[in-house]
Amino acid sequence: MSTRPEFTSVERAVIEREESRELKERVVEINRVAKVVKGGRRFSFTALVVIGDEIDRVGVGYGKAREVPLAISKAVDDAKKNLFVVPRHGTTITHEILGRFGAARVLLRPASEGTGVIAGGGVRAVLELAGIRDILAKSLGTTNPINMLKATVQGLQSLRRPEDVAAARGLTVSQVLPAGAKPDEEPEPAAEPPVRDSGPGEGAPGEPGGSPGE
C-alpha cells in the first residue's frame, strides 16, 4: 500500500512551479580564520552565501570548513533552510523599512520604476536575488557583512502587504494606501460645454444675430 500523499491539481501545480524555479547562488565573502592549537595554527575558511530565484524567494547562509568549496557548500545548505518570500509591489518593495541586527542598520526605501538597485556589497546581492529591481538602500551602522545581510533579511521579513494590513484593520485596500496611491481617485469635474453662437434670426433685438433695433 502506497503511503505517498495525494495532492489536488492546484497543489501539484504549486509544487511543480516551486521545483521548476532554479535557485541561483552568490558568494558574498570568503574569510580565512585561524585556530591556535598545540603545535601551531589550524586554518579554516568561512563562506557567506546568498541564494534566490530572482522572483520572490531569497535566503542567506553561513558555512565553515577546512576547504573553500566545502565551506560554500555548507553555506548553500544553510541558506536553503532560511528561504523566505519577499512581499513586493511591482518591481520594488511595499513600503519603507529599517532592518536591524546587532550594530547593523539598513534602510530600505521603495523607488520608482527604472531607478535600479541602489545598494552596495552583500545588500545588493540579497535584493537582486529576491527579485527586487528598483530600490534605495543605505547602511546606517556597522559594515560587518554578516550583520548587514542579517539586518537586510530582518527588514525584508518585516514587510507587510496592503491586503494583510487592510484585513487586520477591517478596512479596504484603498483606505490603507497612501493618498497619492489610491486606486479610486476622485474624477476631475467635467468642463462646461462652450457657448454656441446664435445663428441668423436668433437673439434679442440689437444683439448679434437678432433683428435690428427699431
Side-chain angles (χ1 to χ4, degrees), residues 8-173:
T8 64
S9 58
V10 176
E11 291 174 339
R12 282 196 296 268
V14 172
I15 293 174
E16 291 176 359
R17 184 185 63 186
E18 294 294 331
E19 292 177 349
S20 63
R21 291 184 181 180
E22 180 183 358
L23 293 175
K24 300 181 180 180
E25 61 184 61
R26 191 173 301 180
V27 179
V28 176
E29 185 186 41
I30 294 178
N31 189 30
R32 189 183 74 169
V33 295
K35 178 182 179 181
V36 179
V37 297
K38 185 178 180 180
R41 296 179 180 178
R42 182 177 297 170
F43 293 99
S44 58
F45 297 89
T46 62
L48 184 62
V49 175
V50 181
I51 66 171
D53 58 3
E54 295 184 338
I55 300 176
D56 59 0
R57 293 192 305 164
V58 70
V60 176
Y62 186 76
K64 180 179 178 181
R66 296 292 299 274
E67 301 293 336
V68 174
L70 186 57
I72 295 176
S73 178
K74 287 184 177 181
V76 171
D77 293 339
D78 183 51
K80 289 180 180 179
K81 300 176 184 178
N82 302 323
L83 282 172
F84 66 97
V85 178
V86 179
R88 293 190 299 123
H89 177 68
T91 59
T92 187
I93 56 178
T94 53
H95 57 85
E96 182 178 324
I97 192 72
L98 179 64
R100 292 184 173 92
F101 186 86
R105 292 185 300 157
V106 177
L107 177 64
L108 304 175
R109 184 173 294 174
S112 58
E113 188 173 356
T115 303
V117 179
I118 310 300
V123 178
R124 170 183 286 271
V126 175
L127 298 176
E128 288 181 346
L129 291 180
I132 300 172
R133 296 290 174 263
D134 302 295
I135 192 172
L136 303 173
K138 178 65 177 177
S139 174
L140 304 176
T142 180
T143 57
N144 181 283
I146 300 176
N147 288 353
M148 285 180 59
L149 261 63
K150 290 187 176 182
T152 305
V153 169
Q154 191 273 334
L156 294 176
Q157 290 177 334
S158 302
L159 291 174
R160 302 179 68 185
R161 293 183 173 87
E163 298 82 5
D164 300 335
V165 178
R169 298 181 181 178
L171 303 173
T172 61
V173 176

Side-chain angles (χ1 to χ4, degrees), residues 171-193:
L171 303 173
T172 61
V173 176
S174 60
Q175 289 176 318
V176 300
L177 288 176
K182 286 187 178 181
D184 302 327
E185 297 182 350
E186 294 294 334
E188 296 182 358
E192 295 182 359

